[in-house]
Amino acid sequence: MPGSFIVTSFGRVISVRGSLARVGLLAASQMPVSEIRATVGRFVSIRCASSVIVAMITEVSCENLSNSDYIAIASVDLLGEIHNAADKAKFQRGVTNYPTIGDSVDLITSQELRTIYAPTGSDQINVGFLQQDRSVVAYVDVEEMLSKHFAVLGSTGVGKSTGVSLLLNEILKSRPNLRIFLLDVHNEYGRCFGDRALVLNPRNLKLPFWLFNFEEIVDVLFGGRAGVPEELDVLAEVIPIAKGIYTQYQNTDRLGLKRIDPKQVGFTVDTPVPYRLVDLISLIDERMGKLENRSSRIIYHKLISRIEAVRNDPRYAFMFDNANVGGDTMAEVISHLFRLPANGKPMTVMQLAGFPAEVIDSVVSVLCRMAFDFGLWSDGVSPMLFVCEEAHRYASADRNVGFGPTRKAVSRIAKEGRKYGVYLGLITQRPAELDATIISQCNTLFTMRLANERDQALLRAAVSDAAANLLSFVPSLGTREVLAFGEGVALPTRLRFKEVPPHQLPRGEATISSVTSVTSGHDMHFVGAVLERWRGATSQRDVPNDPVFSQPPAKTLATAEAPMLQPSMGLDPDRFSLLKKPLR
């Protein structure tokens, strides 16, 4: 019986090979049929002379039985041992004393499961319970999970986002001083973390363009397409000079001071110091004026047009509006983005759904790169967890897809971040499309249901535990069910995430289309109001009937609050009546 200390043998070891063993299930077992249901995924214990070996059943068959004493043959993976030392049972991974032929095999008891999954210290978080025995709490070691990176994998609709909310909220409880930065691709997590998170989006983000390195600013100017080589040569020449000119402006206290040649300042195209677009355009225009060849002048003219078009696009206001106000504001920007000091909000939720599609990769690249570089140059004194939702979009396995610098920035955190206190959490529904080098650096995996064969094949290659056979369960996992592997858990485990409080549930607005009560009576006023809000996203004027604009705009980085792009407190019954008001 579960929880009982009376153990009745129901099998014998009949072969051993490395980390695998085969067990014959006895026909004459004294256990009732309801208790002897030894099927795949169940833990069993093998009684040896000096320890109890913990194993998991991966296959059961009654074919080709040569001994009538057995009703079936089971294959088991040997996972670890329970030792009794000083009257206290202790579990350790790996097997030091292998079983011998004839050793008895029993169903594992609840007490033994508690010994295996007992928290080994205060740095443990409760994420749910074992699927095999709901009375046994599943703990995750926060230090091991964070310092060696982790990933949450699962198809759409299996509870992946809810699981992420659960994990991050538990991490915040356990590590209140840890800073967390979450890339929220679908604007789902805005209210999952209450007043402990600062929510940023294009309306309250200030990310000056001069923080972008050369590859990133080129990606912005050319809309994600490959740059024209002649124009890139011009940019590479004038950007360092523009930085030198701006530095002169800042350092000149009085007129008549001897000016330094901007070319001698020593800045590169990637040095994160301010410069002005006015100076940049002036330098390009100056070079264009010296050319006599009309075809060469067209190159300069196109480059100036690109810069002015992007600068005047209201969608890029977070980069270009007031970018030089206050001079060198890099310290304020990093303090605001990465919560230094936290001021009671150690977490940042970056909502990406409202950004122009052409610039998202560049923004993510800047954020990843600055997170890593700050950890590097601060010697990791202020640890941070960087969480990438839909990670396959930024670090694709296909080198021809996506933005190279973004992949490089994420890869750098994966490979070297732990040395500098920058930890990585990846969430993806298509692990096969994620760069294999990056996912191989994640030593704790939370795998939910995955139906795609390529995704399952990648997981088999990535999981090094002896229980890799567990992956055969992946296509049949239920909602909220998880296979947890790696350093963060005591054993490869099939568990179920615990219930998440309603106020912590991720909510996207996609569910709006399934609400039938508001789909009747739509008229031209309704369509017109929707279009007004739509156009307002790409214009600089306030939009009528938009509750998000009811608050005054944020004026400073320190006081900026977080208007949600997609309110996620459920559907407002007055929302559509607001939209149906006549246009002003």
Side-chain angles (χ1 to χ4, degrees):
M1 296 289 291
S4 172
F5 291 95
I6 301 174
V7 179
T8 306
S9 175
F10 76 104
R12 294 282 185 272
V13 175
I14 57 177
S15 73
V16 180
R17 186 185 67 186
S19 63
L20 306 176
R22 291 178 68 78
V23 174
L25 304 185
L26 295 169
S29 171
Q30 301 175 13
M31 300 180 73
V33 176
S34 61
E35 295 300 325
I36 201 172
R37 289 182 58 82
T39 185
V40 290
R42 298 295 295 271
F43 287 111
V44 296
S45 54
I46 303 174
R47 311 283 161 178
C48 297
S50 59
S51 64
V52 175
I53 296 177
V54 178
M56 176 176 285
I57 298 175
T58 58
E59 181 185 355
V60 180
S61 172
C62 63
E63 299 175 359
N64 303 322
L65 288 176
S66 57
N67 191 328
S68 58
D69 291 339
Y70 300 129
I71 59 172
I73 303 295
S75 297
V76 299
D77 281 348
L78 309 180
L79 303 177
E81 291 178 301
I82 297 176
H83 295 275
N84 288 308
D87 297 328
K88 183 179 180 181
K90 185 178 180 181
F91 173 77
Q92 69 175 27
R93 281 195 181 195
V95 178
T96 55
N97 300 302
Y98 283 86
T100 58
I101 303 300
D103 282 349
S104 64
V105 180
D106 311 297
L107 285 176
I108 201 163
T109 65
S110 289
Q111 184 60 39
E112 288 170 332
L113 284 175
R114 290 191 183 93
T115 299
I116 295 170
Y117 291 100
T120 55
S122 59
D123 210 12
Q124 308 272 327
I125 57 174
N126 172 4
V127 298
F129 51 84
L130 297 191
Q131 185 66 20
Q132 175 167 333
D133 188 338
R134 294 181 174 230
S135 68
V136 180
V137 176
Y139 289 97
V140 174
D141 188 309
V142 176
E143 177 61 29
E144 291 291 333
M145 180 176 78
L146 293 181
S147 64
K148 299 178 182 177
H149 309 320
F150 70 94
V152 181
L153 317 172
S155 302
T156 301
V158 298
K160 186 168 70 271
S161 298
T162 305
V164 171
S165 174
L166 167 66
L167 288 172
L168 295 184
N169 271 294
E170 292 294 329
I171 290 171
L172 281 172
K173 289 180 190 175
S174 174
R175 295 280 189 89
N177 296 324
L178 176 72
R179 295 167 299 121
I180 301 178
F181 194 98
L182 171 63
L183 294 177
D184 184 4
V185 176
H186 302 298
N187 294 11
E188 297 176 288
Y189 298 94
R191 290 187 170 91
C192 290
F193 309 99
D195 57 3
R196 292 179 296 177
L198 171 72
V199 181
L200 295 177
N201 52 51
R203 290 176 183 163
N204 67 339
L205 173 68
K206 291 298 179 186
L207 192 66
F209 68 90
W210 46 264
L211 286 175
F212 289 54
N213 67 19
F214 186 66
E215 288 179 297
E216 291 156 356
I217 198 66
V218 165
D219 192 63
V220 171
L221 295 178
F222 287 85
R225 299 183 297 274
V228 178
E230 293 84 357
E231 297 181 34
L232 298 187
D233 292 340
V234 176
L235 267 181
E237 179 187 352
V238 297
I239 287 178
I241 300 175
K243 292 177 180 178
I245 292 173
Y246 186 83
T247 304
Q248 280 192 358
Y249 290 150
Q250 296 299 105
N251 295 335
T252 302
D253 296 327
R254 64 185 186 276
L255 293 175
L257 189 69
K258 182 181 178 182
R259 290 189 175 274
I260 304 171
D261 184 354
K263 295 181 181 179
Q264 305 301 320
V265 176
F267 294 136
T268 70
V269 288
D270 293 331
T271 307
V273 296
Y275 62 96
R276 301 192 309 167
L277 288 182
V278 173
D279 294 331
L280 194 67
I281 293 173
S282 176
L283 288 166
I284 298 171
D285 192 56
E286 178 185 335
R287 280 156 175 72
M288 182 171 65
K290 295 178 180 178
L291 296 173
E292 296 181 359
N293 189 332
R294 188 168 181 271
S295 61
S296 298
R297 296 178 66 180
I298 291 176
I299 295 171
Y300 289 76
H301 184 70
K302 284 183 176 179
L303 180 56
I304 292 175
S305 299
R306 290 185 200 279
I307 296 172
E308 291 183 336
V310 172
R311 180 180 64 177
N312 296 327
D313 190 333
R315 298 178 303 160
Y316 293 81
F318 69 94
M319 290 175 57
F320 296 105
D321 275 8
N322 301 321
N324 297 105
V325 172
D328 187 354
T329 56
M330 186 173 181
E332 289 83 355
V333 170
I334 287 180
S335 172
H336 187 63
L337 283 174
F338 300 140
R339 312 310 302 142
L340 291 162
N343 294 325
K345 293 187 176 185
M347 182 170 184
T348 304
V349 178
M350 175 64 75
Q351 294 186 326
L352 296 175
F355 286 91
E358 303 86 358
V359 80
I360 286 181
D361 283 339
S362 301
V363 170
V364 173
S365 177
V366 173
L367 296 171
C368 290
R369 181 172 51 78
M370 289 201 305
F372 178 85
D373 285 343
F374 189 83
L376 170 67
W377 297 110
S378 66
D379 296 326
V381 296
S382 185
M384 180 172 68
L385 170 62
F386 199 96
V387 184
C388 287
E389 174 75 271
E390 300 288 356
H392 59 275
R393 291 175 53 170
Y394 311 116
S396 174
D398 186 351
R399 297 281 168 167
N400 298 319
V401 175
F403 185 45
T406 309
R407 181 191 297 106
K408 181 180 177 182
V410 176
S411 177
R412 203 174 175 204
I413 295 177
K415 293 176 182 177
E416 307 172 51
R418 68 193 71 180
K419 302 174 186 175
Y420 307 111
V422 185
Y423 312 131
L424 184 64
L426 300 177
I427 300 101
T428 179
Q429 55 184 309
R430 292 304 310 272
E433 295 181 7
L434 186 62
D435 191 310
T437 305
I438 294 175
I439 198 170
S440 68
Q441 300 294 324
C442 297
N443 285 4
T444 303
L445 298 179
F446 298 94
T447 305
M448 307 181 84
R449 185 166 68 245
L450 285 169
N452 187 279
E453 184 60 37
R454 287 181 59 220
D455 296 331
Q456 296 172 38
L458 180 133
L459 279 177
R460 292 187 195 100
V463 173
S464 59
D465 279 292
N469 288 320
L470 263 177
L471 292 173
S472 59
F473 307 147
V474 166
S476 59
L477 290 173
T479 302
R480 287 181 34 230
E481 278 190 12
V482 187
L483 292 179
F485 300 90
E487 303 293 334
V489 290
L491 274 184
T493 308
R494 183 173 180 177
L495 58 92
R496 182 181 287 270
F497 279 145
K498 64 183 180 182
E499 291 280 354
V500 174
H503 65 277
Q504 293 180 2
L505 286 173
R507 287 189 183 92
E509 295 300 307
T511 53
I512 201 167
S513 61
S514 63
V515 181
T516 56
S517 60
V518 296
T519 55
S520 58
H522 292 165
D523 53 19
M524 289 301 293
H525 288 301
F526 167 76
V527 176
V530 171
L531 292 182
E532 189 72 16
R533 298 180 72 203
W534 184 350
R535 288 168 176 163
T538 55
S539 67
Q540 294 175 326
R541 56 198 176 89
D542 288 355
V543 185
N545 306 331
D546 191 344
V548 174
F549 281 97
S550 60
Q551 300 178 359
K555 294 185 179 180
T556 64
L557 287 174
T559 60
E561 289 302 325
M564 308 294 174
L565 281 184
Q566 296 185 13
S568 300
M569 294 294 285
L571 296 176
D572 182 356
D574 298 327
R575 179 168 182 168
F576 283 86
S577 63
L578 282 171
L579 287 174
K580 288 165 68 176
K581 287 182 180 178
L583 297 178
R584 290 185 283 179

